[in-house]
Amino acid sequence: MRLTSCGDILSVVLFISLTLASPFGLWRSSNPPTHDRTAPAREKLFHSNTGTFAQQRPWTRLRDHIIQLTFGLPRAGHPTCHRDDRPAKSSPLGAGAPTDLLNRYGGDVVLRFNVTTTEEAEALADSINVLLLDVWAFRDDWVDIRLAKDAVPSLLGLLPDSLQHAHTPLMHDLAQSIYESYPSSALLRPLISSPSQQQGFSPALRASTQTADNIFFQDYQPLPVIVPWMRLLASLFPTHVRMFSVGISYEGRDIPALRLGVHPTNSQDPSEPRKTIVISGGSHAREWISVSTVNYLAYSLITSYGKSPTVTRLLERFDWIFIPTLNPDGYLYTWETDRLWRKNRQQTSLRFCRGIDLDRAWGFEWDENASKGNPCSESYPGEYPFEAAESRHFAQWVHNETSTNNTEIVGFLDLHSYSQQVLYPYAYSCQSQPPSLENLEELALGLAKAIRLSNGEHYGVTSACEGTVTMALGGKKMLHPRLETGGGSALDWFYHEMRVRYTYQLKLRDTGSYGFLLPKENIIPTGEEALEAIKYFGKFLLSDFGLTEDEPTMLRPLRKPKVDNEDVDGDEGHPPDDDDDDDTELEFDDDGEEEEEEDDANEEEADNEGAEEEDDFEDAKGLKQKPLKVAGFGKPSGNRVPPADMSWELKRRRRS
């Protein structure tokens, strides 16, 4: 007997445990076992041997035999949700990683290079391109690179003397770290405990502060578990949750998403476009923590609606789109074959080098020079903009939402890992500054502060174009060569082409100790700090768009808006609130948090400058980039969204 996914394993274990533990189980003995007998039986589920197996009751032997066949367990082994859903092969090293992982990753190492000069950065960038090395992450003064141990001498031979000893290994046993990143028996034990201890879903779930009790976030989850979980949330909370798809992947899978929001239902006047915030993760398949964090955020807002005044107000004022993984094909591939796979699974011009980097495939400032490179590169952007199926379909969905579905996207957060940074546009170049730079920096600093106040973690704030390409030298910044192309990013496309005022890339934990192999114990803490960040994000936008309590709300429709055509999404016709004082408390945190005076001052300033900023944004865009129209799409720029038939071949990119 062989199961096809970890989701099937969880389902079988849950069914068997509930069936056999129930007094109405299919194999119930005529004499119900006492507590003293069932406890050893459950303990022997993972620690059975030949002697004790023969002494168990018939139904117990049957149960253990089914589970052993299901998981392919040895008599004294532990079940492991292996990457290809087959029993892990025994390692020649004993209790270490299985043989197949050792064969794939046993000869690899992750090195951190400390970069201090332009010459060092240029030499390192050239070496990465020549050897096609896997750049994991980079910041102001360091670069993390994965490569084979045998390739280290070749790399050092291309680097200057100053870098010969300016590197340190981050992971001494990469194969073992990968092996430990997959779910283990620790995930299964709670499922096989008594039914009274199991955490289930119900409309009366506790607020998000109790999310740690939910088994879903005690480990990373594969795609066949995530999709039914999302479907379950939509069915349990139909008043404010809807599941849908933003497109189809290259291999034909849906790209699942959740839409959260509460709309007025009795407004007689046409409503203004619904302000919407989009939060995505999993563009790069190996960044599992981004997938889990998007799920955590969605679950926290869903279960806090009606219990937390802050969350309730945010869901009434905005629609929230949560997309756990834009790259379902690649994410599934990391579970089944290659844990460190980054790109999608699309066929390229080289049959043995599949995949396009989804965060380099968007239309704005797509790097045509990078397309001439090797498709085997981890940051290969494709042969033309929007060649990647997932990026193309997501862009088409965004265009349809804004043009035909009365939607205005006002915020975009793209979650990645790792390096703990809040990045704002532009990513393609440091030579051009976004026209709303001051407001972007203000909100980015607020997000970093919210995270720091939550869990004490420090997140840096900088432009997405920087990373290792800049350094402070005598108080002056110096540009360094880029280690990988920054053109064609979703961050820049949403900001420039769709005119989304606040777009950010949030790089989650950690800073290199584990990299993409972040232990499962970090799932909930990372989710908690990201939750505080998006709450701050939503409250900032409430103020910036004039939706604070001194403006009319959906609960108080009798007042007229103070700002025309921007403030309210269908106010009239909704019954007024009975208690103005209680309603006022919805403006900011209800969890005992005190807003600082400086934050209030910033919010008032944002209110006063909101309308003026909008005009400046449009004017600056018109000056910096001349609009290039494309047939079928009105509004600025030729790479706003790709044609559906993709027969389109982009000519020379315009240059600012």
Side-chain angles (χ1 to χ4, degrees):
M1 180 177 180
R2 181 175 180 268
L3 297 183
T4 58
S5 70
C6 296
D8 293 334
I9 292 175
L10 294 178
S11 301
V12 169
V13 173
L14 182 59
F15 171 77
I16 293 175
S17 61
L18 291 178
T19 301
L20 299 182
S22 170
F24 302 100
L26 296 179
W27 298 291
R28 178 172 61 90
S29 172
S30 57
N31 296 320
T34 63
H35 174 74
D36 293 335
R37 291 176 178 173
T38 57
R42 288 173 181 163
E43 182 67 21
K44 290 183 178 65
L45 179 61
F46 292 107
H47 303 282
S48 60
N49 54 52
T50 304
T52 56
F53 185 81
Q55 299 172 3
Q56 295 173 347
R57 291 176 175 270
W59 69 267
T60 306
R61 293 201 302 270
L62 176 61
R63 179 196 64 184
D64 291 355
H65 184 62
I66 291 175
I67 293 178
Q68 287 173 359
L69 289 178
T70 300
F71 299 119
L73 299 178
R75 290 300 176 120
H78 295 270
T80 300
C81 185
H82 194 46
R83 65 177 178 85
D84 56 1
D85 295 324
R86 295 190 300 269
K89 301 177 183 178
S90 60
S91 169
L93 300 179
T99 303
D100 50 357
L101 282 180
L102 288 173
N103 292 337
R104 181 182 291 272
Y105 307 109
D108 289 359
V109 63
V110 180
L111 299 180
R112 169 164 293 183
F113 285 84
N114 298 314
V115 181
T116 57
T117 67
T118 301
E119 291 74 18
E120 291 177 352
E122 185 175 24
L124 190 59
D126 292 341
S127 301
I128 290 171
N129 292 330
V130 170
L131 300 176
L132 293 177
L133 302 181
D134 182 8
V135 178
W136 274 27
F138 47 84
R139 286 194 65 169
D140 295 343
D141 56 357
W142 55 259
V143 182
D144 293 349
I145 302 173
R146 177 176 72 96
L147 72 165
K149 295 177 183 178
D150 296 341
V152 173
S154 300
L155 173 60
L156 295 179
L158 298 174
L159 299 179
D161 293 339
S162 57
L163 287 179
Q164 296 298 314
H165 302 286
H167 59 83
T168 55
L170 293 183
M171 297 182 188
H172 297 279
D173 193 343
L174 182 60
Q176 181 65 27
S177 298
I178 292 173
Y179 177 67
E180 293 173 353
S181 72
Y182 284 98
S184 64
S185 59
L187 175 64
L188 302 178
R189 288 193 186 102
L191 284 174
I192 306 177
S193 61
S194 62
S196 61
Q197 297 176 353
Q198 296 174 6
Q199 173 71 26
F201 294 99
S202 72
L205 284 172
R206 291 173 290 179
S208 59
T209 55
Q210 301 297 329
T211 307
D213 296 336
N214 194 306
I215 192 174
F216 187 82
F217 299 107
Q218 292 180 9
D219 219 324
Y220 295 104
Q221 305 295 346
L223 189 66
V225 172
I226 292 175
V227 173
W229 177 81
M230 295 172 67
R231 197 174 292 122
L232 180 61
L233 288 177
S235 64
L236 288 174
F237 302 92
T239 57
H240 56 287
V241 182
R242 182 171 66 88
M243 184 178 177
F244 66 103
S245 172
V246 298
I248 303 296
S249 70
Y250 174 78
E251 294 181 345
R253 295 181 178 88
D254 283 327
I255 304 174
L258 291 174
R259 181 188 292 271
L260 280 59
V262 181
H263 294 215
T265 58
N266 58 349
S267 176
Q268 298 179 357
D269 296 331
S271 61
E272 296 295 327
R274 178 70 170 176
K275 292 178 172 55
T276 301
I277 298 171
V278 178
I279 301 178
S280 66
S283 294
H284 295 150
R286 62 191 177 186
E287 298 170 4
W288 284 9
I289 189 61
S290 69
V291 178
S292 294
T293 301
V294 173
N295 286 331
Y296 186 97
L297 297 175
Y299 178 82
S300 299
L301 294 189
I302 289 171
T303 57
S304 295
Y305 176 73
K307 303 168 186 176
S308 164
T310 296
V311 173
T312 301
R313 178 163 176 76
L314 291 177
L315 264 62
E316 289 175 345
R317 282 305 191 183
F318 302 107
D319 270 6
W320 298 75
I321 307 297
F322 290 96
I323 310 169
T325 173
L326 281 171
N327 186 6
D329 298 344
Y331 184 66
L332 188 63
Y333 191 73
T334 62
W335 283 81
E336 296 180 345
T337 306
D338 186 352
R339 172 64 180 87
L340 296 180
W341 186 262
R342 168 184 167 106
K343 303 180 287 184
N344 72 354
R345 293 293 300 159
Q346 190 162 334
Q347 185 62 60
T348 65
S349 57
L350 294 180
R351 292 189 60 185
F352 54 87
C353 288
R354 299 172 68 98
I356 298 174
D357 185 348
L358 295 188
D359 201 36
R360 298 292 179 264
W362 294 74
F364 177 69
E365 291 296 338
W366 178 81
D367 191 348
E368 62 181 340
N369 294 323
S371 69
K372 300 175 183 178
N374 195 324
C376 298
S377 170
E378 294 289 349
S379 56
Y380 178 63
E383 296 183 357
Y384 50 86
F386 291 112
E387 182 185 8
E390 294 82 0
S391 298
R392 180 172 72 251
H393 292 155
F394 185 30
Q396 290 170 349
W397 175 84
V398 170
H399 172 75
N400 291 335
E401 285 292 303
T402 55
S403 61
T404 64
N405 290 342
N406 201 31
T407 296
E408 177 189 1
I409 298 178
V410 296
F412 174 65
L413 292 175
D414 190 17
L415 272 55
H416 286 261
S417 72
Y418 59 95
S419 70
Q420 296 187 190
Q421 291 180 292
V422 182
L423 305 179
Y424 53 82
Y426 289 114
Y428 79 93
S429 173
C430 291
Q431 301 297 332
S432 300
Q433 288 189 348
S436 59
L437 176 62
E438 187 174 332
N439 289 332
L440 286 170
E441 289 180 333
E442 178 187 356
L443 179 51
L445 290 170
L447 297 176
K449 179 179 179 181
I451 292 173
R452 187 174 68 253
L453 294 178
S454 171
N455 282 340
E457 291 293 327
H458 176 74
Y459 277 58
V461 174
T462 186
S463 169
C465 73
E466 295 187 2
T468 57
V469 301
T470 65
M471 60 172 290
L473 186 61
K476 183 179 179 180
K477 285 188 175 182
M478 180 180 298
L479 296 180
H480 284 200
R482 294 198 67 108
L483 297 176
E484 59 181 14
T485 178
S489 70
L491 178 76
D492 290 354
W493 186 85
F494 270 88
Y495 180 77
H496 189 275
E497 301 295 343
M498 299 308 300
R499 307 303 172 101
V500 178
R501 187 181 299 181
Y502 296 104
T503 66
Y504 297 93
Q505 187 177 103
L506 190 61
K507 294 208 169 186
L508 304 170
R509 296 188 184 189
D510 60 3
T511 55
S513 298
Y514 297 97
F516 303 122
L517 308 176
L518 195 66
K520 63 184 180 181
E521 290 77 14
N522 289 269
I523 294 176
I524 292 175
T526 304
E528 290 174 344
E529 59 199 29
L531 178 61
E532 293 306 311
I534 68 164
K535 285 182 180 179
Y536 184 93
F537 189 85
K539 291 185 291 185
F540 186 95
L541 265 60
L542 282 177
S543 173
D544 192 67
F545 287 99
L547 301 178
T548 52
E549 281 302 313
D550 56 347
E551 301 294 337
T553 70
M554 287 187 291
L555 300 178
R556 285 189 275 173
L558 300 181
R559 300 181 187 177
K560 294 183 178 180
K562 292 183 179 180
V563 181
D564 293 337
N565 299 326
E566 185 174 355
D567 298 330
V568 185
D569 303 324
D571 289 1
E572 296 186 10
H574 205 30
D577 194 6
D578 294 333
D579 190 345
D580 289 344
D581 293 335
D582 291 341
D583 189 51
T584 304
E585 295 177 1
L586 298 181
E587 181 173 352
F588 291 112
D589 274 344
D590 59 294
D591 303 322
E593 301 175 3
E594 296 182 359
E595 298 294 334
E596 300 182 3
E597 294 181 0
E598 60 182 79
D599 293 337
D600 294 336
N602 290 338
E603 289 156 3
E604 293 177 2
E605 182 179 353
D607 261 342
N608 296 332
E609 296 178 356
E612 179 181 353
E613 175 199 336
E614 182 73 21
D615 294 336
D616 293 343
F617 185 88
E618 298 291 341
D619 293 340
K621 290 302 179 186
L623 292 175
K624 290 180 67 61
Q625 300 287 347
K626 294 182 179 180
L628 178 64
K629 295 184 178 180
V630 173
F633 304 99
K635 290 198 177 183
S637 186
N639 292 320
R640 182 179 176 86
V641 69
D645 58 8
M646 280 311 296
S647 61
W648 169 57
E649 288 287 343
L650 185 71
K651 304 299 182 182
R652 295 287 298 177
R653 285 286 300 144
R654 69 184 188 284
R655 298 298 178 189
S656 58

